[in-house]
Amino acid sequence: MVELTDESGRPRAVAYVERELPPGGIPAYLAARDTGARSFVLWADEHRGSRAATVVTRSAGNGVATYQVLGAQGEVIGTLVREKAFKGRGIRTRWTVSRPGAGEAVGYKGRIFWWLVCWSVFPLMPFMFLAALFENSGLPRAPRRIRWRTGGRLLLDFRPFGDRLQLCVPESDWRLEAALIALLRSFDGWFSVSWDSHKK
């Protein structure tokens, strides 16, 4: 479920996300998923009465994947591109958000400072993992915050705590951002299990 919080501070559910399985069902989805492919339906209601949007993979492989977000009538709402770290154009995962009639917004996963801290303590990760299990605290995670900018202006801000995406411009289409949240959460890494990777 994806929730939207307005100025009143009250969250309301705007989309219910579900995998859209290809022929071959869950095994085929999971096999394609390993290449970066994803396919989701964002339902407008919990009874699956109408679609708000659909996420389809246009291309995936070699660490770069391109997704299109389609509206209920099949119209293109936007395009999302994920370039995996060291596979695309840098040492951090790069996410590009494109909207019809608007420029591209580019965001990088994590700040370089926090990646340096993460890499420096990587040899201690097994001990940190065990400590987290015994103390019943959160498991260690890689830096996840992403800020998208276009023309020097902040467009979107993904905060890892609570998986919150803040819209910084009023003209954004919430369906594109809801699809982006579903995609980001499907790439949760390290010790977490992504919502779309279940075998049932």
Side-chain angles (χ1 to χ4, degrees):
M1 180 174 60
V2 177
E3 293 181 330
L4 178 68
T5 304
D6 57 18
E7 294 81 17
S8 69
R10 294 182 195 157
R12 63 183 173 89
V14 293
Y16 297 83
V17 188
E18 180 181 37
R19 295 181 293 195
E20 187 156 60
L21 299 176
I26 293 174
Y29 179 90
L30 295 177
R33 188 183 184 283
D34 289 339
T35 68
R38 302 288 192 273
S39 57
F40 310 143
V41 178
L42 282 76
W43 297 102
D45 62 281
E46 60 184 320
H47 303 293
R48 301 179 184 143
S50 62
R51 290 179 185 236
T54 306
V55 177
V56 295
T57 302
R58 286 293 166 227
S59 63
N62 227 12
V64 180
T66 302
Y67 311 96
Q68 270 194 334
V69 183
L70 308 175
Q73 307 303 317
E75 73 279 12
V76 176
I77 297 170
T79 302
L80 308 171
V81 179
R82 178 184 185 264
E83 298 172 67
K84 191 175 178 181
F86 300 107
K87 297 279 187 175
R89 295 185 246 184
I91 60 172
R92 294 181 290 167
T93 298
R94 171 186 164 121
W95 284 89
T96 304
V97 176
S98 303
R99 298 165 294 150
E104 289 185 345
V106 177
Y108 294 91
K109 183 178 177 183
R111 291 170 134 180
I112 290 178
F113 171 78
W114 290 114
W115 277 111
L116 291 173
V117 170
C118 184
W119 290 328
S120 68
V121 300
F122 189 77
L124 302 174
M125 217 38 95
F127 302 106
M128 294 169 70
F129 180 72
L130 289 173
L133 286 177
F134 286 118
E135 294 176 11
N136 203 16
S137 61
L139 296 174
R141 297 184 105 170
R144 297 175 59 220
R145 186 170 188 179
I146 306 173
R147 289 178 172 172
W148 285 266
R149 297 183 186 277
T150 179
R153 183 173 65 146
L154 185 64
L155 178 70
L156 300 164
D157 186 2
F158 175 69
R159 298 172 184 264
F161 299 107
D163 290 327
R164 296 184 181 276
L165 182 68
Q166 179 182 356
L167 312 180
C168 302
V169 292
E171 65 267 20
S172 291
D173 187 328
W174 67 264
R175 296 172 299 173
L176 181 60
E177 279 72 43
L180 180 57
I181 279 282
L183 271 174
L184 288 170
R185 294 198 57 214
S186 77
F187 283 100
D188 280 349
W190 289 21
F191 304 116
S192 56
V193 178
S194 301
W195 70 269
D196 70 318
S197 63
H198 298 289
K199 296 182 179 179
K200 291 186 179 179

